[in-house]
Amino acid sequence: MPPHFPTKGAQGVRFVYYPDVQVDRVSVAGTFNHWNGDRNCMSKMEDAKGWEIELAIPKGRHLYKFVFNGEAWILDPMNPSVSEDGQNNSAITVTEDGEVLIRTNEISKERPGYMYENFTAIHSPEWIKKSVIYELHIRAFTEYGFNGLTEKLDYFKEIGINTLWLMPFNEIGLKGRIGKYGDPYAVKDFYSIDPCLGTKDDLLLFIRKAHENGIKVIMDWVLNRTSADHILTGSHPEYFTRNERNEIYYDVPNREYFAGIQFNNRQMRNYVIEAMKYWIIEFDFDGFRLDDSDLTPYDFLSEIKHALQQVKADLILISQSYDEYHHIESCDLTYDGNPRILIRDMSDGTITQNDFMEIYNSYKYSFPKNARRMSWLEEKEQSRICDDFGEKLAGPAATILLTLEGTPFIMMGQEFNERTMETWTSLFDEYKLNWNQFDTEMFEHYKFLIHLRTNNPAFWMGELEFIRNSEEMVLSYTRQYEDSKYLVLVNLSKDCLYVSFENNILASEFSRDSENVIYRTGKDDRRSEKDSSKLRIDSYESIIYKILQ
């Protein structure tokens, strides 16, 4: 049977599915229909074996699954592109002409994809390129609200964090609330501050002190929905989406405590933009992280960017999406979940060293030129990295995160191997980070890497070149900007290994000279190598060299 990738059809994107079990009903659910598995039912094809449907889907990155018999949700077996969000969805990108792009590992610097060849990302301020972003929820991070954050500024300075991302601190709706506090993303009033976190003056003081210490502050903005009892649902019901019974609702299953924003309403758009301006003008926030921005119209994202830059020229927008088109007009960063997936797969032998390089580059050259991604090991919908990888692998994973391209972000507690937070649902009830679990060795590891990154343009502006080595479980690459160059080696294996660089003389020379080492996590006692032409690298060790030009 020939492959049946999603393709451009007469009426939109054509999906074809050949099940390997008996099914009575098949539908397609994805970001384009708010993950509703009952909405877009496929029809049987003439061969009575396959199922098909054509859907009018707007341009951009879309995730989806096939749903059969209303129960089983499966990947598209014919589509090799799986989402990098860690949630195992099939992925496509629809162009402005309705063509369907599917990322494959064949995309590379020599054979770039459509978006890289035809588009360049918007210009972003230097500070976001240099950023290491730290995400936190105030109530979970400190029991003293904004004042507690102000007191923690020395902690952030010590580790080197230069950008803080505050999860929603607005008042949370009561209608349909789950847990004591409810979902922090169910915002009742865009202009409000949850009084249990402090006052307006407390927040003003925190941001002023953060700026005095060279730390930018980003606000988490819930863009496409509000709480079901938002202050406008009664006075302006036309601002919200309606179901077939003309009731205000949010068109995503199992989210009854939300109300969806009606983007077609001009007044609602104005209201959202004015509310965002308020936080810049009154509090001097430096940017917004846009929650679920993959469900927001492109023209509204562009409108927001233009309006807010009139207020603050170097303000940035972070899109919680993996959408190539968000880089063209509106957003400075999109999400990049590849580090977590690639490190895990390489460590367990699912992919080789060469696969890591190919997959990494296939994403890089699928995005517009100069597109900057926000890379992560942990984010609010994923488990802790030390639980998923184990504590020993968490160290080399951090090395890779903080020395690769992009802008890295760290989830609160990740830097000291905190393990009690599960997902953002932990925040619905009484939850605090377990500071008694503090792993000093991991903290010092993050501290060195963050300071190395932020103080050396090679890591936030420089070129990345992967270097093939003799061990499949060791990743090696250089970062270079002008005359500053570093060589990074990371062992993802539990075994001590002996590494050589047969095709790279420079790497071979510098890796054998211990005087070039500026950081390593293994034993100080470098016992004699079995072969003097090879480098010994300990279990889960990271080694960083500074190469003198």
Side-chain angles (χ1 to χ4, degrees):
M1 182 188 303
H4 292 279
F5 304 113
T7 57
K8 180 179 181 180
Q11 306 299 321
V13 176
R14 181 172 184 263
F15 296 90
V16 174
Y17 174 50
Y18 278 87
D20 54 8
V21 296
Q22 178 63 38
V23 298
D24 300 317
R25 179 166 58 93
V26 183
S27 61
V28 183
T31 50
F32 42 79
N33 66 5
H34 293 86
W35 293 102
N36 193 313
D38 299 321
R39 183 166 296 163
N40 295 122
C41 293
M42 304 177 77
S43 301
K44 269 199 171 183
M45 297 170 64
E46 291 183 1
D47 62 9
K49 296 179 181 178
W51 298 74
E52 64 181 345
I53 192 173
E54 289 192 16
L55 298 175
I57 297 177
K59 73 176 181 181
R61 174 79 69 91
H62 298 279
L63 309 180
Y64 70 97
K65 276 191 169 84
F66 291 128
V67 185
F68 60 81
N69 295 337
E71 296 177 351
W73 293 60
I74 68 164
L75 286 166
D76 182 346
M78 298 298 179
N79 182 352
S81 182
V82 177
S83 62
E84 54 189 298
D85 58 2
Q87 299 189 35
N88 202 38
N89 295 304
S90 295
I92 58 173
T93 297
V94 181
T95 72
E96 60 279 7
D97 298 321
E99 298 292 340
V100 180
L101 307 178
I102 295 177
R103 187 203 61 79
T104 67
N105 294 353
E106 284 69 41
I107 295 173
S108 63
K109 183 178 181 179
E110 294 71 31
R111 290 181 291 180
Y114 170 81
M115 298 299 298
Y116 188 90
E117 284 194 312
N118 291 280
F119 298 99
T120 299
I122 61 172
H123 177 75
S124 297
E126 183 175 287
W127 70 262
I128 193 61
K129 300 174 184 177
K130 193 176 181 179
S131 288
V132 175
I133 300 171
Y134 189 96
E135 177 187 5
L136 63 88
H137 186 268
I138 300 166
R139 190 183 66 250
F141 191 79
T142 171
E143 59 184 312
Y144 302 112
F146 298 120
N147 291 332
L149 281 189
T150 303
E151 293 172 1
K152 276 287 190 180
L153 287 172
D154 286 343
Y155 175 83
F156 298 123
K157 286 187 68 178
E158 180 185 358
I159 195 173
I161 294 296
N162 54 20
T163 306
L164 293 175
W165 153 14
L166 307 186
M167 294 175 75
F169 51 80
N170 313 93
E171 290 184 60
I172 299 171
L174 292 172
K175 187 175 181 180
R177 176 179 285 195
I178 300 173
K180 179 179 178 180
Y181 294 105
D183 188 335
Y185 290 84
V187 174
K188 186 175 182 179
D189 179 359
F190 293 142
Y191 288 87
S192 67
I193 293 175
D194 187 334
C196 74
L197 302 177
T199 65
K200 176 179 177 179
D201 287 340
D202 295 334
L203 177 56
L204 282 167
L205 176 64
F206 162 68
I207 294 180
R208 179 170 64 80
K209 291 290 188 182
H211 286 165
E212 288 174 359
N213 283 278
I215 297 173
K216 302 286 188 180
V217 187
I218 293 170
M219 182 176 180
D220 207 336
W221 192 269
V222 189
L223 189 59
N224 55 62
R225 64 198 188 281
T226 69
S227 71
D229 54 353
H230 187 273
I231 60 169
L232 295 180
T233 53
S235 59
H236 290 281
E238 71 276 12
Y239 286 2
F240 301 91
T241 53
R242 307 291 193 92
N243 61 20
E244 61 276 4
R245 296 184 297 277
N246 203 34
E247 300 166 332
I248 292 175
Y249 86 128
Y250 182 52
D251 191 18
V252 172
N254 305 314
R255 295 291 186 271
E256 288 78 11
Y257 54 86
F258 286 131
I261 288 178
Q262 178 53 263
F263 293 115
N264 293 332
N265 188 289
R266 178 70 263 168
Q267 288 71 37
M268 183 50 161
R269 287 194 178 201
N270 292 341
Y271 185 86
V272 170
I273 289 174
E274 290 304 312
M276 298 177 86
K277 285 182 179 179
Y278 165 79
W279 294 99
I280 306 169
I281 295 168
E282 294 294 323
F283 297 90
D284 201 21
F285 275 95
D286 299 292
F288 294 94
R289 178 262 185 188
L290 305 176
D291 188 69
D292 281 352
S293 47
D294 56 348
L295 304 178
T296 306
Y298 286 97
D299 67 316
F300 190 34
L301 292 175
S302 300
E303 188 179 341
I304 289 170
K305 180 72 166 182
H306 178 75
L308 299 187
Q309 279 193 318
Q310 302 305 307
V311 179
K312 191 168 188 174
D314 66 345
L315 177 135
I316 61 95
L317 296 181
I318 301 173
S319 173
Q320 191 207 358
S321 78
Y322 301 79
D323 195 322
E324 301 93 330
Y325 280 93
H326 282 195
H327 289 275
I328 297 172
E329 296 179 357
S330 56
C331 297
D332 300 89
L333 300 176
T334 58
Y335 271 41
D336 179 8
N338 268 315
R340 179 174 175 130
I341 296 171
L342 293 177
I343 293 167
R344 182 196 61 216
D345 288 352
M346 184 170 163
S347 68
D348 66 18
T350 303
I351 64 172
T352 65
Q353 174 194 156
N354 198 60
D355 292 332
F356 187 111
M357 301 173 188
E358 285 187 356
I359 296 169
Y360 181 94
N361 283 324
S362 73
Y363 278 96
K364 178 178 177 178
Y365 294 103
S366 294
F367 276 73
K369 293 183 186 70
N370 303 328
R372 195 165 192 88
R373 316 290 306 285
M374 185 172 73
S375 50
W376 52 268
L377 297 175
E378 293 184 13
E379 61 98 35
K380 69 182 178 71
E381 297 181 21
Q382 301 290 324
S383 61
R384 285 297 199 188
I385 195 69
C386 55
D387 287 335
D388 196 31
F389 285 12
E391 289 187 13
K392 291 183 178 180
L393 185 55
T399 303
I400 293 171
L401 174 74
L402 290 162
T403 57
L404 283 180
E405 296 166 301
T407 296
F409 101 76
I410 297 167
M411 173 65 83
M412 59 178 182
Q414 177 182 330
E415 76 280 13
F416 63 87
N417 263 348
E418 205 280 344
R419 9 184 18 132
T420 62
M421 185 173 178
E422 296 176 0
T423 70
W424 92 103
T425 58
S426 299
L427 307 173
F428 293 14
D429 286 297
E430 199 67 61
Y431 171 75
K432 304 287 184 187
L433 288 181
N434 185 1
W435 290 92
N436 294 324
Q437 200 178 59
F438 200 90
D439 183 335
T440 302
E441 184 178 352
M442 183 61 76
F443 177 84
E444 293 296 328
H445 182 54
Y446 270 89
K447 177 180 172 180
F448 177 88
L449 292 167
I450 292 170
H451 281 280
L452 176 69
R453 182 182 187 89
T454 56
N455 289 309
N456 294 281
F459 292 103
W460 51 273
M461 288 183 66
E463 293 294 321
L464 167 74
E465 181 185 358
F466 286 109
I467 297 175
R468 190 79 172 84
N469 66 68
S470 59
E471 294 296 328
E472 289 297 349
M473 300 292 278
V474 176
L475 192 66
S476 52
Y477 48 91
T478 58
R479 299 302 312 273
Q480 180 173 5
Y481 180 72
E482 296 179 345
D483 60 351
S484 177
K485 188 172 185 178
Y486 296 83
L487 171 64
V488 180
L489 283 82
V490 185
N491 185 1
L492 299 178
S493 167
K494 68 181 186 308
D495 300 319
C496 167
L497 299 172
Y498 292 83
V499 181
S500 62
F501 306 91
E502 290 89 352
N503 299 320
N504 194 300
I505 297 174
L506 183 63
S508 296
E509 290 177 351
F510 274 87
S511 64
R512 286 200 298 270
D513 189 344
S514 61
E515 292 185 1
N516 297 317
V517 175
I518 62 168
Y519 184 64
R520 69 175 178 229
T521 60
K523 300 183 181 72
D524 289 335
D525 177 19
R526 312 305 292 174
R527 290 162 291 175
S528 59
E529 287 83 355
K530 293 184 298 184
D531 181 342
S532 61
S533 67
K534 294 187 176 183
L535 166 71
R536 181 182 184 276
I537 183 167
D538 284 339
S539 165
Y540 298 116
E541 183 174 19
S542 302
I543 309 176
I544 302 177
Y545 299 83
K546 185 169 185 178
I547 299 177
L548 302 176
Q549 303 282 38

